[in-house]
Amino acid sequence: MSKNSISRFSHRAMLYDRFRPHYPQELVAFLRERIDPDSGQAVADIAAGTGIFTEQIAQWGNTVFVVEPNASMRRLAHRRLAGFKNCIFVDGTAESTGLPDQSVDMVVSAQAFHWFDLTKTKAEFKRIGRDSLLVAVVWNLRNTDSLFEQEYESLVRTYGVDYLSVSQRRMATEEVLTFFAPTAPEYRIFEHADFLGFTALRGRMLSYSFMPDETSPVYEEMLEAVAALFDRHQENGKVRLSYRTRLFIGGI
């Protein structure tokens, strides 16, 4: 992970923690079937952010290494995960986790894999992984099925400063498959949706690292645009934003 990819979330950490979506319970249950909660197996959540996904897997009871290089995000993860004594917090990156050799049975990465140097990351995961290490790569990817979702995507693309260069959408399936090669990972898709009021919709949009902040000359224009979008499509004060959650899981 580059310094820019680490620092670009610092001033958005609170928005990220409050407004980013969770992950489907069906996905979490699917992953849990791959690890024994009573065997002492350990999980590493790499680039864990504020611990949104970590919170869901920490409930298994296994030791979870919460690896996050951004101090602001890590501080919020500490707060979110305060009730989980099985979480161990580490200031590290995908390429240099700071974890001991052969200490992990499953590595997960939610919404972050596109930031990694994949060659260095694969070498690091092999170092920290025990025999039969599993790597799970997860993304929530917004759908554009409804008119609202299409217009929301258009708004994000209009105002996003470097959306196409930093979004997970730039990570081609071929690159993920190359990371797992010579083995082929299992691929699954899980569907879910959020129903958002205006404050939540605006907060989610502002949590994206590529969207303008209050220092931008188009910030107010962007806020007016998202308010108008919400007003056009809301029903009973909510809009529906749906996702397909992509999972690649396998050995390396």
Side-chain angles (χ1 to χ4, degrees), residues 37-222:
D38 299 317
S39 67
Q41 291 183 313
V43 181
D45 188 354
I46 307 298
T50 65
I52 295 173
F53 188 56
T54 323
E55 184 176 27
Q56 294 181 261
I57 63 174
Q59 296 178 39
W60 302 345
N62 299 76
T63 296
V64 180
F65 295 104
V66 188
V67 180
E68 171 53 50
N70 183 289
S72 298
M73 304 281 267
R74 199 169 57 250
R75 183 168 55 251
L76 289 171
H78 269 279
R79 186 177 70 181
R80 177 185 287 273
L81 302 169
F84 294 98
K85 304 307 180 186
N86 53 319
C87 288
I88 300 171
F89 296 86
V90 183
D91 178 3
T93 65
E95 300 85 357
S96 181
T97 62
L99 299 180
D101 293 352
Q102 298 182 325
S103 58
V104 175
D105 299 280
M106 177 184 285
V107 169
V108 299
S109 171
Q111 222 67 19
F113 195 72
H114 53 290
W115 295 112
F116 302 165
D117 179 315
L118 297 187
T119 300
K120 294 178 180 178
T121 295
K122 186 169 185 175
E124 178 69 352
F125 287 2
K126 285 186 171 184
R127 182 188 68 78
I128 66 174
R130 295 176 181 146
D131 293 341
S132 302
L133 172 72
L134 280 176
V135 177
V137 179
V138 178
W139 283 288
N140 275 327
L141 193 63
R142 290 190 309 276
N143 288 326
T144 54
D145 299 334
S146 69
L147 181 58
F148 163 72
E149 290 171 340
Q150 292 166 15
E151 292 185 7
Y152 181 73
E153 180 69 16
S154 177
L155 187 152
V156 169
R157 287 176 180 256
T158 297
Y159 291 100
V161 177
D162 51 0
Y163 171 56
L164 293 181
S165 66
V166 304
S167 169
Q168 68 270 22
R169 293 178 187 270
R170 74 174 174 84
M171 176 63 72
T173 298
E174 290 74 19
E175 293 177 86
V176 182
L177 296 180
T178 298
F179 177 83
F180 283 95
T183 61
E186 185 174 355
Y187 179 57
R188 292 289 187 98
I189 293 178
F190 301 83
E191 302 281 352
H192 66 118
D194 284 341
F195 293 85
L196 307 173
F198 176 66
T199 298
L201 178 68
R202 181 180 61 184
R204 183 161 301 182
M205 181 191 69
L206 293 175
S207 75
Y208 306 148
S209 68
F210 43 77
M211 297 304 284
D213 62 18
E214 59 273 9
T215 65
S216 169
V218 300
Y219 182 73
E220 293 299 330
E221 175 186 314
M222 178 185 66

